[in-house]
Amino acid sequence: MTDMDARTSKERLRSQRAALADFGLFAFRCEKIDELLHRAAELVSDAMGVPLVKVLEHHPARSEMLLRSGVNWEPGVVGHETFGDYERSPGGYALAAEQPVVSSDLDAEERFDVPEVLLRHGVKSMVNVVIAGDAAPFGVLEVDAREKRDFSEDDVAFLRTYANLLAAAIERVRTHDELHRTAREQGVLARELGHRVKNLLGLVRALASQTSTQGRNAKEYRAAFIDRLQALSTAESLVFESSGERVDPLTLANEILSPYRQDDPGKIAIRGASIDIDSRQARMFGLVLHELATNAAKYGALSVPTGHVGLDWHLETSDGDIRRLAMTWREQDGPAITPPERKGFGTRLLEDVVAFELNGTAELVYGPDGLRYDLTFPAAEA
Amino acid sequence: MPNDPTRELSDRRILVVEDERLIALDIRDILEEWGCVVLGPVATAAAALELVANDRPDCAVLDVQLASGTSEPIAAVLRADGCPFLILTAYQRGHLTGALQDAPMLSKPVDETKLRQALMSLLPANMSR
């Protein structure tokens, strides 16, 4: 090695170290992958004294390597040119080799074929190093010289260090992007939750204002309101616990009606299919069962020892394949009943509100052998 | 009732658009308590527009998010018609669009005092009956 060579080599080492330091600073501020890759190519080109530098991004699904970034290439090459990732391509070979691949004379290269775009740019020698990734390598950093060049061990070591630094920076940007995306999603979820809570408070207010004070003392009013709130909250809890906001009416019925069945489940015989309905339907279904049961316990079949109730539901498919849930509540062996003189919240809910909310039909029949309630509504599959 | 602050509201015709039926009935009860004539409540923009076409309200109370779409089309028609309206929603101001954007807004659950004040400020006091 001549003095001249020694000095050049020393200078190159110094400029390579400077390039690493520069890139290190840049990499930890940069938030865009393309800016990162471009700066990396620029600095490598300067530090190595090689004009043509490129970053190939591996796309395993397409068996392809995209020339994602680079410097000093003809227009239309960067961002467009692709190579196969098979072993006869320089990038593919480097990926498989898992260590730097040096080719000091491409004319004599036998391990892989030289792509047309490199020939066109007059590339005579090259070094390729893998850019690692979290799960799989990101791709390959390639340095292409226009002369036959014996790349030194220091050159290769520099590129290796550089590629590792680049890999870490790419991971950092990707993680950063991922965090941003998650934060955005969390924001949307929080907004939806806020909306839902306010709506629910609106419902609670409606339950309070529509629970009549007529004929009730304060204690009775409070009990009636809290019972309704409890039914609403049971339905809401099931919605929150369920996956995809679907609820099984059987679970709901068992929960809501449990106070009336704990001594004797036969008091209310539940014969319903285990299916799923959406959150809004579940809320109504829960409120309906609660009103029916409290009413029966006060005035109907559940107010006397002999009385009992049959609760059935099943799915019907008719009217052009629309799936409908048909439910019947039938009270038997209870006292004689008469329609109420005044329509209170219960009646309003069972007839008006439910039919409206569920887009279905609801009918209360005060029969000679007890109350009967029929409800049908469209229950689309999830 | 000379001292009743809501007397200004009696016989006023108020359109109510709300798709949550229990809440709709709650609002209807409040308004009727004040002597208002409630148009609706209706749950869709289509039903509201049909009502408005036949029966011009003095004011409207609109929920934003309906089961099918938003109440933006109703707001646009009411604005063009010079009919005042207010929004009663669980959303925040920033999520409103179009003709809903700069309308008076109340947050759910409804606060009766604020609703009454908002309606009184929207309705011209000397309107001929």
Side-chain angles (χ1 to χ4, degrees):
Chain A
M1 192 184 272
T2 64
D3 284 356
M4 187 71 153
D5 282 344
R7 208 174 64 222
T8 329
S9 156
K10 234 182 190 168
E11 269 169 18
R12 189 175 289 157
L13 259 181
R14 194 179 306 126
S15 84
Q16 289 180 352
R17 285 220 186 88
L20 281 175
D22 280 358
F23 183 68
L25 275 180
F26 178 80
F28 283 84
R29 280 196 306 260
C30 182
E31 285 174 9
K32 293 201 172 71
I33 279 209
D34 280 304
E35 280 175 22
L36 188 71
L37 299 180
H38 184 78
R39 186 77 186 128
E42 251 175 13
L43 285 169
V44 168
S45 168
D46 283 352
M48 300 273 297
V50 172
L52 293 164
V53 175
K54 61 187 183 299
V55 175
L56 301 187
E57 181 183 17
H58 190 205
H59 293 277
R62 302 202 296 265
S63 303
E64 201 172 82
M65 307 196 75
L66 168 72
L67 202 164
R68 170 109 187 228
S69 193
V71 287
N72 301 315
W73 299 90
E74 283 172 4
V77 171
V78 172
H80 298 284
E81 197 73 40
T82 57
F83 310 91
D85 65 355
Y86 46 86
E87 281 205 37
R88 291 299 295 177
S89 91
Y93 185 85
L95 274 183
E98 288 178 339
Q99 56 177 321
V101 176
V102 181
S103 187
S104 45
D105 181 1
L106 283 178
D107 291 339
E109 184 55 66
E110 286 180 344
R111 295 169 296 179
F112 47 83
D113 304 322
V114 182
E116 189 276 333
V117 65
L118 299 194
L119 297 175
R120 203 165 79 228
H121 283 77
V123 176
K124 296 278 187 233
S125 62
M126 69 194 306
V127 188
N128 296 339
V129 288
V130 171
I131 304 165
D134 217 13
F138 174 83
V140 177
L141 175 66
E142 304 198 344
V143 175
D144 301 329
R146 285 203 173 101
E147 68 284 341
K148 289 177 187 167
R149 176 162 158 183
D150 286 318
F151 292 97
S152 69
E153 269 180 34
D154 286 342
D155 287 335
V156 175
F158 161 72
L159 281 175
R160 200 176 209 167
T161 312
Y162 202 87
N164 288 339
L165 191 58
L166 181 57
I170 290 169
E171 269 323 303
R172 188 191 139 268
V173 171
R174 282 181 165 175
T175 309
H176 189 265
D177 286 351
E178 178 65 19
L179 284 175
H180 256 286
R181 202 179 53 76
T182 324
R184 260 201 314 276
E185 282 173 5
Q186 293 291 334
V188 171
L189 282 180
R191 201 174 86 186
E192 276 311 309
L193 193 61
H195 178 239
R196 186 166 173 165
V197 166
K198 280 187 170 184
N199 235 337
L200 212 48
L201 287 173
L203 272 177
V204 172
R205 205 211 103 94
L207 287 184
S209 73
Q210 291 184 54
T211 296
S212 175
T213 53
Q214 278 187 37
R216 283 193 175 109
N217 65 30
K219 249 185 168 166
E220 288 163 344
Y221 169 84
R222 186 175 65 186
F225 167 63
I226 288 178
D227 282 353
R228 283 171 179 154
L229 187 58
Q230 193 55 52
L232 176 66
S233 118
T234 301
E236 285 297 319
S237 310
L238 289 178
V239 169
F240 270 110
E241 286 160 17
S242 72
S243 59
E245 309 228 315
R246 306 287 292 185
V247 173
D248 183 351
L250 186 58
T251 317
L252 190 56
N254 279 327
E255 292 243 358
I256 300 259
L257 301 177
S258 69
Y260 306 92
R261 303 172 75 224
Q262 58 192 16
D263 297 334
D264 175 11
K267 271 295 194 190
I268 305 176
I270 302 176
R271 285 178 296 268
S274 182
I275 50 167
D276 63 314
I277 54 179
D278 72 28
S279 57
R280 201 160 168 151
Q281 293 168 336
R283 185 192 283 158
M284 282 301 132
F285 199 81
L287 287 174
V288 158
L289 292 180
H290 168 72
E291 289 307 322
L292 288 168
T294 46
N295 185 68
K298 257 195 221 158
Y299 313 108
L302 300 180
S303 68
V304 292
T306 51
H308 55 100
V309 179
L311 170 63
D312 300 69
W313 67 81
H314 61 274
L315 287 172
E316 295 175 345
T317 308
S318 58
D319 302 355
D321 280 351
I322 298 172
R323 197 175 82 144
R324 295 176 75 84
L325 189 143
M327 176 207 125
T328 303
W329 170 278
R330 192 182 287 113
E331 298 184 16
Q332 280 170 322
D333 302 331
I337 50 159
T338 47
E341 289 162 23
R342 198 182 52 83
K343 286 198 173 185
F345 174 83
T347 321
R348 212 184 202 191
L349 181 101
L350 291 171
E351 293 176 337
D352 173 305
V353 175
V354 164
F356 208 96
E357 281 280 315
L358 299 179
N359 194 23
T361 59
E363 194 186 8
L364 269 172
V365 182
Y366 299 88
D369 49 346
L371 182 123
R372 180 191 162 109
Y373 178 69
D374 287 300
L375 171 68
T376 64
F377 60 91
E381 281 171 84
Chain B
M1 286 191 293
N3 291 321
D4 179 0
T6 64
R7 71 187 189 285
E8 283 298 323
L9 294 176
S10 67
D11 296 331
R12 299 303 180 108
R13 307 160 60 73
I14 316 283
L15 167 69
V16 175
V17 183
E18 167 62 64
D19 69 331
E20 191 86 55
R21 190 62 176 170
L22 279 171
I23 295 177
L25 296 181
D26 187 18
I27 297 166
R28 185 184 74 186
D29 288 353
I30 296 170
L31 294 175
E32 286 181 346
E33 184 81 7
W34 295 337
C36 301
V37 177
V38 173
L39 309 187
V42 289
T44 64
L49 291 174
E50 204 181 304
L51 252 182
V52 170
N54 299 315
D55 208 353
R56 191 183 182 284
D58 295 319
C59 191
V61 178
L62 310 179
D63 178 25
V64 172
Q65 191 61 55
L66 307 176
S68 52
T70 73
S71 53
E72 212 178 300
I74 314 165
V77 167
L78 292 175
R79 171 156 299 171
D81 208 21
C83 173
F85 59 90
L86 66 87
I87 292 160
L88 181 61
T89 180
Y91 281 112
Q92 284 156 25
R93 164 78 63 198
H95 307 141
L96 303 182
T97 53
L100 297 170
Q101 229 161 3
D102 41 13
M105 188 190 114
L106 293 181
S107 192
K108 279 183 184 175
V110 60
D111 176 324
E112 292 178 40
T113 311
K114 285 184 183 162
L115 178 63
R116 193 182 66 228
Q117 285 166 348
L119 286 174
M120 302 218 324
S121 72
L122 284 173
L123 288 161
N126 55 357
M127 192 192 77
S128 57
R129 299 284 169 86

